[in-house]
Amino acid sequence: MCGIVGILGNEPVAGKLVDALKRLEYRGYDSSGVATIEEGQLDRRRAEGKLHNLETRLSNEPLRGRLGIGHTRWATHGAPTETNAHPHMTERVSIVHNGIIENFKQLRRELESEGAELVTDTDTEVIAHLVTREMDAGHDPAIAVLHTLRMLEGAFALAFIFKDHDDLMIAARQGSPLAVGFGDGEMYLGSDAIALAPFTDTITYLEDGDWAVLTRDGVAIRDSEGAAVDRPVQKSVASALMVDKGNHRHFMAKEIHEQPEVVGHTLASYIDFANLKVQMPDMPFDFASLQRISISACGTAYYAGLIAKYWFEKLARLPVEIDVASEFRYRNVPLEAGGLSLFISQSGETADTLAAMRYCREQEQHIASIVNVRESSIARDSDVVLPTLAGPEIGVASTKAFTCQLAVLACIAVSAARARGTMSEETEAEFVTALSEVPRHMSAILREEGLYDSLAHSLAKASDVLYLGRGVNYPVALEGALKLKEISYIHAEGYAAGELKHGPIALIDESVPVVVVAPRDEMFEKMVSNVQEAAARGGRIVFLSDAEESDVGCDVMTSLKIPQIHNFTTPLIYALPMQLIAYHTAVFMGTDVDQPRNLAKSVTVE
Ligand code: AGP
């Protein structure tokens, strides 16, 4: 993820900006920069590589402004060069950005047709020119930013400073976190409270859609309609070592809400958004010559692998052998030497998964792993590591790691399909575009979180809950059931919807909620039949779909509208309602959401 800092100070800020950026190094980056305002004049210093290169640049060419912004960049659009490093600027405004602007290409074409000269490969520079165009049209900085925000599609956090404005900083948040810090006659901005810890522990977090106008006297926060809003001011407990909950009640809630940002960041590691192509690291095998892939993992990570099975087999025509690691390791699976074995693990320390890896190593497999902890045992024992960039996942129930695993697996599936000649360049661009829209759709679902409270009260009274899905969303139903049972302790089972009539339908009566994952894909009509079968037996239907409730043709207890999206990305999007249903039910029931009974975050024993 990129890191953003801003300081409205009473002394030169360049050194303090760099200190704050150092506390964001954990997010990963490949270039950095700062911009300041001195006597109304904008100026900046940027450098490739690590922050000490920026410090060298600043010691040779100091900046003395008392207002400034800083950035550590993880390249998404354009190579990690100094030219592409933030802050980006025009004569009138300088900006730093964390996230993805999906519609930057058409905005860039529009600006260039009007004579604007853009000099970088980034989506961010487009925003600087849009704000400038609004200011050239006579609008003040705040209105110029508001108008610009309405043109942007994607998930982002932004900070702006302006020529001739020595006491003004503007910030905006849409999907990527941004904190405002309160000092003594100073004000601060940071991607998280850790960045602000050297200056203040009094902070407030912007919510999705918020934008904020900061002066040294304070901050005015407004929503996307321009109406003033209040956000709670709190004491942060962040330190270089601790990860705090932000303004969330539980780590699980914070991690659910981090998904637009961390999924976008993970995708950016494997996608060239400018050219709509997947770009995987070099691997010691060729997908074109593989006979099959074996996948092994546990729990939620296993469900990610199950989803990947549908993608690999359908898109790349590549057979997949998959099993939970605790079974896989004892089955003596026959594997042809030189094959690929893929292991998925958030912690990278799960004993069963490690044991399955050892078996595959003995079978002379190429070992690849998708892990969230880069220095973990599973990573160390792999030939290829494909990291998820979810950041620390503290809640025992896995959420952001799961969707980041899916992001990596989706990229692998497209890459394999291209290598095996089963996907055209045009289809790759279509699928990559769909992936680039995932953070925005996730943000849209999270903005509707209030809908899950009343549903939670209904589910909390149940003793059994069924989850139904078909095709690539059958494992999503399995994951939904696991989420509910592991944090609310309510018995829940996921089933392939077509399997209902082969036994599970005997379970259904008026006391049984049936959660249905039903995007309007090629199996939607089949799913509707299954819903009607369940409803006819009294099942209380919770219908999750982009389709209308009226399309179901029977009574439903609750209908949750999901954005209409590309079928390829439905598992990443429908994972969020699965998480929110479980979370709000558990909160209503008063269980220990972050540390549920009997469970450990990493199961390092057999
Ligand atoms: C998921 O919510 C659970 N915490 C659990 O099933 C977990 O996914 C499983 O133990 C695997 O852990 P890992 O991803 O760290 O290997």
Side-chain angles (χ1 to χ4, degrees), residues 549-590:
E549 184 179 328
S550 55
D551 294 332
V552 187
C554 64
D555 290 338
V556 301
M557 175 175 74
T558 304
S559 175
L560 293 169
K561 199 76 179 328
I562 307 298
Q564 184 170 11
I565 54 178
H566 194 290
N567 288 344
F568 178 50
T569 54
T570 50
L572 287 111
I573 302 301
Y574 282 75
L576 268 68
M578 299 295 102
Q579 296 162 2
L580 292 171
I581 288 172
Y583 174 75
H584 286 280
T585 303
V587 166
F588 181 75
M589 297 183 72

Side-chain angles (χ1 to χ4, degrees), residues 432-461:
V432 166
T433 300
L435 289 170
S436 73
E437 294 167 353
V438 164
R440 171 164 54 90
H441 293 315
M442 287 181 159
S443 293
I445 289 174
L446 294 172
R447 280 200 298 276
E448 304 292 320
E449 182 172 10
L451 300 175
Y452 292 81
D453 260 337
S454 56
L455 173 57
H457 298 184
S458 307
L459 292 184
K461 302 182 191 109

Side-chain angles (χ1 to χ4, degrees), residues 37 124 142 157 171 225 356 377 396 415 419 522 546 571 577 588:
I37 298 266
T124 309
E225 297 308 314
S377 303
V396 165
S415 177
E522 68 274 11
D546 51 314
F588 181 75

Side-chain angles (χ1 to χ4, degrees), residues 298-301 344-348 350 396-398 405 482-483 486 603:
C298 299
T300 290
I344 307 167
S345 175
Q346 190 284 131
S347 63
T350 301
V396 165
S398 188
Q405 289 161 359
L482 174 60
K483 285 279 115 20
E486 71 174 325
V603 183

Side-chain angles (χ1 to χ4, degrees), residues 113-128:
S113 69
E114 296 165 2
E117 289 181 20
L118 283 79
V119 297
T120 79
D121 304 323
T122 68
D123 52 352
T124 309
E125 189 188 8
V126 166
I127 305 173

